Amino acid sequence: MKKLLGILLYLMVMVSCVMGQSKPFSSQSLTGFKALLSGINGSFVLPENFTEAKVPNNDKLPFQYALKFPDSDCEVWFQVNSIKGEWSRFEKGGKQGTNPDSTYIKTASDEALIMGGTKDFLSRPMPQRILDSYNADEGRSYLITLADMPETKHYQYALLIVLHKNHYGNIVVACLTNEKGPIFFKNINKLRYCFKFNG
């Protein structure tokens, strides 16, 4: 009888522990975003302390997912662009014309121009060690003073990052803020390992 009571008590503790565990956060937006990333052989893990934010409903800024750091004036928008269809057509056409792997620079530059309103932004190639940590083949960063627009929620600055995987596509990340000091970069650093290409 004691053995049976011990087993029942153990089972009750286990059930209460399982029921007490919080389920991983999931939303329709997050599920859709992860599916887009999966289509270019990428993955995403929701970082701690960030909450979902609303992406701009705008054809010029076609970001699909957004996060906000609750205790800071900072948002991060994500855009996924597949080039698999373009690569298929490029190969069928005997590799004539523009190589689809080279278009990621235009994608990011166009977004930087739209967000800033001018070509007066600082652009740099990503160091190889950063590319390696994301399993990316190419990448650039853009530091932008934003145009005062409702589409960018009147934020003042953006750090725009594009990471590209040959034959698959690119991930564009826009980090928006009103204060581009150390706190902003510390918050952005918390996103460092939340997404990558899968090899």
Side-chain angles (χ1 to χ4, degrees):
M1 186 70 171
K2 278 187 177 181
K3 194 171 184 181
L4 182 61
L5 283 172
I7 292 170
L8 285 172
L9 183 61
Y10 173 77
L11 289 173
M12 286 172 61
V13 168
M14 291 303 292
V15 167
S16 66
C17 285
V18 170
M19 290 179 73
Q21 288 179 352
S22 59
K23 292 181 180 177
F25 175 80
S26 185
S27 69
Q28 191 171 356
S29 297
L30 180 57
T31 302
F33 175 62
K34 284 184 173 182
L36 288 170
L37 267 176
S38 178
I40 62 167
N41 197 28
S43 58
F44 179 82
V45 176
L46 190 69
E48 287 184 16
N49 300 324
F50 279 83
T51 58
E52 286 188 344
K54 190 173 180 181
V55 292
N57 187 14
N58 186 311
D59 290 340
K60 292 181 180 179
L61 298 170
F63 290 88
Q64 298 112 345
Y65 190 66
L67 294 173
K68 184 170 178 64
F69 195 71
D71 298 328
S72 180
D73 193 12
C74 167
E75 285 189 29
V76 182
W77 301 347
F78 297 90
Q79 180 186 131
V80 176
N81 301 298
S82 175
I83 60 164
K84 288 163 116 182
E86 287 88 344
W87 248 101
S88 177
R89 288 188 289 278
F90 184 63
E91 288 181 321
K92 285 178 183 173
K95 296 190 176 178
Q96 299 293 315
T98 304
N99 182 327
D101 284 324
S102 67
T103 61
Y104 82 94
I105 294 176
K106 183 175 183 335
T107 299
S109 296
D110 287 351
E111 292 297 338
L113 179 60
I114 291 164
M115 294 174 84
T118 73
K119 291 185 178 180
D120 188 23
F121 48 75
L122 181 64
S123 173
R124 292 201 172 141
M126 298 295 281
Q128 190 61 47
R129 62 181 173 76
I130 301 292
L131 295 175
D132 291 345
S133 68
Y134 290 98
N135 295 318
D137 294 310
E138 303 284 344
R140 292 190 77 81
S141 65
Y142 300 77
L143 193 56
I144 309 162
T145 299
L146 296 173
D148 187 14
M149 303 185 298
E151 291 85 357
T152 54
K153 302 184 182 180
H154 303 286
Y155 279 104
Q156 294 180 46
Y157 308 104
L159 173 63
L160 191 72
I161 297 164
V162 58
L163 295 167
H164 178 78
K165 186 72 173 174
N166 288 340
H167 301 268
Y168 287 96
N170 58 68
I171 303 166
V172 180
V173 184
C175 310
L176 298 93
T177 185
N178 287 319
E179 195 61 53
K180 56 178 180 179
I183 292 173
F184 169 66
F185 289 100
K186 183 180 176 184
N187 287 333
I188 294 309
N189 198 45
K190 293 173 184 175
L191 296 165
R192 196 167 179 177
Y193 302 107
C194 72
F195 66 94
K196 66 176 182 176
F197 293 104
N198 297 324

